[in-house]
Amino acid sequence: MHLEFILLGFSDLPHLQGFLFGIFLIIYMTILIGNGLIIVITKVAPTLQTPMYFFLGNFSFLEICYTSVTLPRMLTHLWTQNRAISLIACAIQLSLFLILGVTESFLLAVMAYDRYVAICKPLYYPLIMNHKVCVQLVIVSWMTGIPIQLIQTYKVISLPFCFNELNHVFCDVPPLLKLACGNTSVQEFSVYAVAVLFGLVPFLIIVRFYFKIITTILKLPLVTGRQKAFSTCSSHLIVVSLFYGSGIITYFTPKSSQSGIEKVLSLFYTIVTPMFNPMIYKNHEQNI
């Protein structure tokens, strides 16, 4: 078994290493500052002590953690040109990445539920979305994926690997399976099963909530009321589309059909998506 992997990343673009480092550094700082400000503002502003902003603050913290699992190492590799990552470091990165990915799926579903209650059951909103319930929903979102994803990580990382050059920007399941020796159909089935359970199910829940939200909004008598209700959900829908769209394509495309595009897609749900989170805050602030 190889004791380390070589993350090829963007090594096929040797003349753009400095440029890419600068771009990713700016993106990382933007994510840290933008989401950090949301956390501070939602904690200290008296008018923002509502369930929506409570979830938004937690989501911002998640986005900082999620990005910090991959981006700092990407920046280091671009700066030093040393792309080696040990097996243990790869396992840690993979497990954190998978756990935080599940957390994001469930938090997005929780935020959709919050909007559903606010728009479809406004009179019961304070009763249903009380502080205790909000805290419980956040805890469940953070804890649900931990045991399964730790097992998933162990199964993938303990495979016999015939190669150690990982054609990706960080340790992820699909590119790791491409390096494994022999038949990995069992592991692939396990990956798809977990992806359906912790990815597709929350997505379908979100779709169901938004179907009910849109149905309710269309029944509103005033056009301005409809526009305001739609605008409070628009940024959340953008994040959901980016996160799930790129994730579904990456995880449900057969590994034999992937030809490097997964590297680009992975940037959407690890880097681009967190950049949209401050836009959610801005949009919500304008419409509440």
Side-chain angles (χ1 to χ4, degrees), residues 52 111-126 128-129 213 216 232 288:
M52 181 179 65
M111 293 172 78
Y113 175 65
D114 173 70
R115 291 297 82 210
Y116 159 73
V117 177
I119 294 173
C120 301
K121 301 181 179 181
L123 297 178
Y124 296 98
Y125 183 72
I128 296 174
M129 301 304 293
I213 287 171
T216 301
T232 60
I288 293 301

Side-chain angles (χ1 to χ4, degrees), residues 166-274:
L166 196 65
N167 187 22
H168 206 53
V169 290
F170 57 86
C171 289
D172 198 3
V173 176
L176 280 169
L177 289 178
K178 293 172 73 172
L179 304 183
C181 304
N183 188 356
T184 60
S185 57
V186 175
Q187 285 77 15
E188 285 189 68
F189 176 78
S190 173
V191 169
Y192 296 144
V194 171
V196 167
L197 180 61
F198 293 116
L200 203 56
V201 170
F203 175 71
L204 293 176
I205 291 172
I206 292 171
V207 171
R208 182 171 177 266
F209 282 139
Y210 269 106
F211 175 77
K212 292 187 175 183
I213 287 171
I214 292 170
T215 303
T216 301
I217 290 174
L218 292 176
K219 293 178 182 178
L220 293 176
L222 297 176
V223 175
T224 53
R226 294 177 193 173
Q227 290 175 342
K228 183 176 180 180
F230 271 123
S231 62
T232 60
C233 304
S234 59
S235 293
H236 180 254
L237 282 171
I238 292 172
V239 174
V240 168
S241 301
L242 283 172
F243 179 76
Y244 280 104
S246 55
I248 288 171
I249 293 172
T250 300
Y251 278 84
F252 288 93
T253 301
K255 65 176 186 175
S256 58
S257 302
Q258 293 180 343
S259 58
I261 194 171
E262 66 270 19
K263 284 194 288 188
V264 178
L265 288 170
S266 67
L267 295 178
F268 277 90
Y269 59 89
T270 57
I271 296 176
V272 178
T273 304

Side-chain angles (χ1 to χ4, degrees), residues 54-191:
F54 174 72
F55 294 135
L56 197 54
N58 276 275
F59 193 75
S60 296
F61 177 68
L62 168 68
E63 294 294 58
I64 289 174
C65 295
Y66 197 45
T67 310
S68 297
V69 169
T70 56
L71 254 183
R73 184 172 284 275
M74 282 175 57
L75 290 169
T76 303
H77 290 174
L78 286 168
W79 182 259
T80 64
Q81 299 300 303
N82 179 12
R83 296 182 170 83
I85 181 172
S86 68
L87 186 68
I88 295 175
C90 185
I92 293 172
Q93 186 183 60
L94 178 62
S95 61
L96 289 174
F97 175 74
L98 293 176
I99 290 168
L100 293 173
V102 170
T103 304
E104 179 150 355
S105 294
F106 279 90
L107 268 182
L108 286 171
V110 166
M111 293 172 78
Y113 175 65
D114 173 70
R115 291 297 82 210
Y116 159 73
V117 177
I119 294 173
C120 301
K121 301 181 179 181
L123 297 178
Y124 296 98
Y125 183 72
L127 181 65
I128 296 174
M129 301 304 293
N130 61 70
H131 184 68
K132 183 180 178 181
V133 170
C134 292
V135 171
Q136 289 173 342
L137 287 171
V138 168
I139 291 174
V140 169
S141 297
W142 278 92
M143 301 299 292
T144 300
I146 292 177
I148 295 295
Q149 296 298 13
L150 286 177
I151 295 171
Q152 182 91 312
T153 299
Y154 174 76
K155 285 183 177 180
V156 172
I157 215 71
S158 60
L159 289 169
F161 294 101
C162 294
F163 311 97
N164 72 332
E165 289 191 344
L166 196 65
N167 187 22
H168 206 53
V169 290
F170 57 86
C171 289
D172 198 3
V173 176
L176 280 169
L177 289 178
K178 293 172 73 172
L179 304 183
C181 304
N183 188 356
T184 60
S185 57
V186 175
Q187 285 77 15
E188 285 189 68
F189 176 78
S190 173
V191 169

